[in-house]
Every structure is written in structure tokens, then in C-alpha cells.
Amino acid sequence: MTNPSLLILPGDGIGPEVMAEVRKIIDWFGAKRGIVFDVSEDLVGGAAYDAHGTPLHDDTMAKAQAADAVLLGAVGGPKYDALDFSVKPERGLLRLRKEMDLFSNLRPAQCFDALSDFSSLKKDVVAGLDIMIVRELTSGVYFGEPRGIFKEGNERVGINTQRYTESEIARVARSAFELAMRRDKKLCSMEKANVMESGILWREVVTEVSKEYPEVELSHMYADAGAMQLTRWPKQFDVIVTDNLFGDLLSDLAAMLTGSLGMLPSASLGAPMANGRPKALYEPVHGSAPDIAGQGKANPIACILSFAMALRYSFDQGEEAARLEAAIEHVLADGVRTADLMGPDGGTPVSTSGMGDAILAALDASL
Ligand code: NAD
């Protein structure tokens, strides 16, 4: 049997630094747990532009389509700010998402106990928080036609169109129900059915799909009320499913309940491939952090947690993903901190590789 394949695209700025720590973790799982991947590495973003004059070479795109999962670091940086829009580093990432048709964006908001002081909310509101927002990623108001700025009489009018087909709603709903089945079997769908027809259809289709998942307790909430409830008592939720625009806002809101950008992973999933695995791209939420790039200050945990998501959602290794998450929890509980996680009391931060090594030691201790 061949090993599952993993394409690694470190990208720009701190991308290669945090990915180097993920490589150590991948090697650990190969050596100590017998979970071996065929790993290949390639360029994306500014790094690809420097080498090929394009932020994503066609060969890299083909490799991503063929891989069992893609793990990406981050793209972008001031060096590329003046480039034409068509070759900006971000276009590489957008091309990956579009051509792999990654319609389901998973954004966990998980608060490690040791970091519960970091939230802007009270400790008891966020301690132990573990929720998942599923955002529709390939349709809705960011893509709907007509769009543009038009002349209407004496003034200009800016137009974007919220548009969802039944099948687009159904497929992201199914992905959220599947996720709910692996978790607490509780799903809340958020839209604005009170003022938007697309919201009415969203609610109807999600309700229809729910018949396929009788074990999952489904609720509906208007997205504005959802934002309030997320800040008031986020632990009332487990999985939330919502459209592209509301998901953009709600997932950022939920993520920031938990503290640093350096801690936030994500997954973008598409339709199942011939081997049953979904097309999948895993990446930290943060960008290339040019302000700290090359200084060994970056927190690799977001990228390592993205690999944990790959173990769970692409490779059916939920227990090993939990082992990795527990190792991170241990390290944080021991007070090991990168600079972004230092509280006002100060202390000495560890470097990017120091954090990776501490997680490896905790993994060893877990055996
Ligand atoms: P950013 O996420 O790169 O950085 C925001 C702040 O968070 C910075 O102060 C940075 O030092 C800090 N930070 C981010 N990740 C960190 C980590 N792992 N450890 C410690 N600190 C961390 O966002 P930005 O500064 O707005 O953007 C910088 C570049 O990244 C831009 O070119 C932007 O277009 C790009 N970007 C890329 C992605 C992506 O690749 N998915 C996402 C967002 C931004």
C-alpha cells in the first residue's frame, strides 16, 4: 500500500519558519507512530513569483490536485506589494482554493486553559471553549453577479449580489452535519432569513439536509443574534454553519475569543476524491508576519494545529490528532511561550524551534 501524500507549500515570511517545525512533527509521527506520508514541497506566493514569475506554477497546481492533502504556511509581504494584482502572492492561494473547489472552510475556536487569560472576555466565558465554525467559501456575495460600480443617473452605485443555489447550500450543510456527527451532534445554522430571501432558502435547505442526520440537534439563529451570543456565552455552541459573508465575520470574531493569531488553524475542504478523502487545504489563519520574519519569533502552533486537523479530517487519525493537541496543551500548561503569548508579567520567550522542540518532547512523553 502506498503512503498518503502530503504537499507542503511553506510560502513567504514566517511560512517556512513555522513549516520547519511541522516537518519535525511529521517526522516524529513517521518514526514513533508508523504514520508515514509521502511528503513533497513546492513554492507558492512571493517565493513562486520569484522563481517562476507566477504565484502558483501550473505544475504546483497539478500536484495540489493530486495530493491527499495540502499544507500551506502563509503568503505575501511588502516586497510584493507593488506587483500587479494578477500576480500578487495572494492570487496563488486564491487559485488553489478555487481550482480545488474548497467550499467548506473549517475555523475552530479553541481556548487552551493555559491561555484563557489572553482573551478579551472573562476567563470563565472562554476557558475550555471548543467550537467550530463552518463557512461556505466559494459562493455568496463575494462571487455573485451582477457586481461592480455602475452609473445610475447622476451618481454611482456599488452592487454585489448574494446568490446561493440549493446544491451549494446542501453541500456545505452536509459537511457541517458530518462534522457535528464526529463531535457533540449539535449544529446551529446562521443566516438572516428575516430580511434576505437567500437566508430563507438557506434555512429551508439546511432543514431538508438535517433529515439525513436525525441524531444531530439542529437549531437556527439570525446571524446578528449569533454574533451577540458568541460573545455572551460561546460555549452554548458546538458546530456553526453559515454563508461566506457572515462566516467571514463570525469566524474572525470567534477566533479572537481565544487570544493570539499564532494559535489559530484552519481547514478548507472540497468534494470527496476517488479514494474517499475530501480535497483539502490546511493552513494557519495568520499571514506571513513580515514584522517578525527571519527572527525566530514566530509561534508555530497555528501551523502545527493545522497539521493536527489534517490528521483528523484527511487521514482518519483522530486519536493521533488528539495526542498532538494534548502535547501542545501540556507545553502551554508548563509555561512555555513564544513572544506573542507573553503576558504583561514578562518572562523569557522561546524561539520558533524552541516551541517545536518542546512539543516534540511532550509527544515523546505521551508514549
Ligand atoms: P499577519 O497575520 O501576517 O500579522 C498580523 C500580526 O500578527 C503581526 O504583528 C504578526 O507579527 C503577528 N503574527 C501573525 N502570525 C504570527 C505567529 N505565527 N506568531 C507570532 N506572531 C504572529 O497579518 P498582516 O500583517 O496583516 O499581513 C502580512 C502579510 O501576510 C500581508 O502580505 C498579507 O497580505 C499576508 N496575509 C496572508 C495570509 C495567508 O497567507 N493566508 C493571511 C493574512 C495575511
Side-chain angles (χ1 to χ4, degrees), residues 5 8 21 44 76 128 131 144 148 157 166 193 197 211 238 261 276 282 306 308 312 316 318 326 356:
S5 61
I8 292 194
E21 302 313 307
V44 69
I131 62 178
V157 52
E166 286 183 274
E197 283 74 9
K211 297 191 183 110
D238 185 48
L261 253 183
Y282 298 90
S306 302
R312 181 173 284 121
D316 232 0

Side-chain angles (χ1 to χ4, degrees), residues 33 38 48 97 145 170 173 180 184 194 217 223 228 251 253 257 273 286 312 320 347 353 355 361:
R33 305 297 299 156
D38 275 343
R97 287 179 184 157
E145 297 284 349
D184 288 354
N194 49 342
E217 180 198 320
M228 282 196 271
S251 62
L253 185 157
L257 301 176
M273 300 184 279
H286 63 69
R312 181 173 284 121
E320 299 301 328
S353 64
M355 179 58 89

Side-chain angles (χ1 to χ4, degrees), residues 280-357:
L281 172 74
Y282 298 90
E283 55 180 323
V285 168
H286 63 69
S288 60
D291 53 334
I292 56 166
Q295 300 170 38
K297 286 185 184 166
N299 183 350
I301 292 180
C303 203
I304 293 172
L305 285 173
S306 302
F307 173 63
M309 290 185 86
L311 284 174
R312 181 173 284 121
Y313 298 117
S314 281
F315 302 116
D316 232 0
Q317 295 282 357
E319 281 182 22
E320 299 301 328
R323 177 193 297 280
L324 179 51
E325 288 157 355
I328 292 170
E329 177 98 63
H330 271 114
V331 164
L332 294 171
D334 282 349
V336 180
R337 300 274 188 275
T338 41
D340 56 309
L341 302 178
M342 300 301 298
D345 310 338
T348 310
V350 296
S351 64
T352 308
S353 64
M355 179 58 89
D357 291 342

Side-chain angles (χ1 to χ4, degrees), residues 166-178 187 201-216 218 220 241:
E166 286 183 274
S167 54
E168 286 168 343
I169 301 169
R171 66 182 186 172
V172 73
R174 257 183 213 106
S175 140
F177 277 107
E178 291 290 337
L187 176 66
L201 184 67
W202 182 281
R203 191 175 282 220
E204 283 176 10
V205 173
V206 172
T207 304
E208 279 160 27
V209 172
S210 75
K211 297 191 183 110
E212 298 165 31
Y213 301 90
E215 287 174 59
V216 177
L218 172 67
H220 303 274
V241 63

Side-chain angles (χ1 to χ4, degrees), residues 57-81:
H57 196 279
D58 289 346
D59 290 350
T60 317
M61 187 65 240
K63 281 189 210 166
Q65 293 283 22
D68 288 318
V70 180
L71 190 58
L72 185 137
V75 296
K79 180 178 165 193
Y80 308 104
D81 281 351

Side-chain angles (χ1 to χ4, degrees), residues 20-320:
E21 302 313 307
V22 179
R23 292 297 294 255
K24 291 186 197 166
I25 306 279
I26 293 171
D27 290 347
W28 185 92
F29 276 99
K32 302 284 174 73
R33 305 297 299 156
I35 301 169
V36 182
F37 296 99
D38 275 343
V39 180
S40 57
E41 197 166 308
D42 211 330
L43 303 172
V44 69
Y49 178 81
D50 287 341
H52 307 300
T54 165
L56 189 75
H57 196 279
D58 289 346
D59 290 350
T60 317
M61 187 65 240
K63 281 189 210 166
Q65 293 283 22
D68 288 318
V70 180
L71 190 58
L72 185 137
V75 296
K79 180 178 165 193
Y80 308 104
D81 281 351
L83 287 181
D84 185 71
F85 182 72
S86 63
V87 287
K88 276 200 186 295
E90 290 74 9
R91 303 299 298 172
L93 181 51
L94 293 177
R95 181 175 174 199
L96 279 167
R97 287 179 184 157
K98 182 160 187 282
E99 293 193 18
M100 292 170 76
D101 199 12
L102 304 172
F103 56 82
S104 177
N105 182 218
L106 275 50
R107 290 273 303 266
Q110 193 178 5
C111 187
F112 290 94
D113 279 350
L115 298 183
S116 51
D117 283 334
F118 261 76
S119 174
S120 50
L121 298 188
K122 289 194 197 91
K123 193 171 173 147
D124 67 316
V125 176
V126 292
L129 178 71
D130 179 10
I131 62 178
M132 180 75 83
I133 301 204
V134 179
R135 165 189 173 193
E136 199 290 326
L137 200 59
T138 50
S139 186
V141 74
Y142 293 159
F143 296 94
E145 297 284 349
R147 61 182 297 165
I149 301 175
F150 304 97
K151 194 88 178 153
E152 212 176 76
N154 288 333
E155 61 173 357
R156 290 173 302 158
V157 52
I159 297 180
N160 291 91
T161 304
Q162 167 83 337
R163 182 180 190 279
Y164 271 108
T165 64
E166 286 183 274
S167 54
E168 286 168 343
I169 301 169
R171 66 182 186 172
V172 73
R174 257 183 213 106
S175 140
F177 277 107
E178 291 290 337
L179 201 65
M181 286 297 288
R182 289 161 170 250
R183 295 173 50 105
D184 288 354
K185 301 190 174 155
K186 225 171 80 174
L187 176 66
C188 181
S189 170
M190 294 189 186
E191 28 54 20
K192 292 273 289 176
N194 49 342
V195 286
M196 296 169 75
E197 283 74 9
S198 59
I200 296 173
L201 184 67
W202 182 281
R203 191 175 282 220
E204 283 176 10
V205 173
V206 172
T207 304
E208 279 160 27
V209 172
S210 75
K211 297 191 183 110
E212 298 165 31
Y213 301 90
E215 287 174 59
V216 177
E217 180 198 320
L218 172 67
S219 59
H220 303 274
M221 201 177 271
Y222 298 139
D224 49 345
M228 282 196 271
Q229 292 300 327
L230 267 171
T231 37
R232 191 185 69 83
W233 191 245
K235 285 186 242 180
Q236 69 186 281
F237 299 109
D238 185 48
V239 181
I240 293 172
V241 63
T242 188
D243 74 11
N244 202 342
L245 173 63
F246 297 138
D248 196 1
L249 307 181
L250 294 172
S251 62
D252 272 7
L253 185 157
M256 283 333 275
L257 301 176
T258 67
S260 168
L261 253 183
M263 298 291 299
L264 301 170
S266 78
S268 303
L269 307 179
M273 300 184 279
N275 60 14
R277 295 190 174 106
K279 287 240 157 124
L281 172 74
Y282 298 90
E283 55 180 323
V285 168
H286 63 69
S288 60
D291 53 334
I292 56 166
Q295 300 170 38
K297 286 185 184 166
N299 183 350
I301 292 180
C303 203
I304 293 172
L305 285 173
S306 302
F307 173 63
M309 290 185 86
L311 284 174
R312 181 173 284 121
Y313 298 117
S314 281
F315 302 116
D316 232 0
Q317 295 282 357
E319 281 182 22
E320 299 301 328

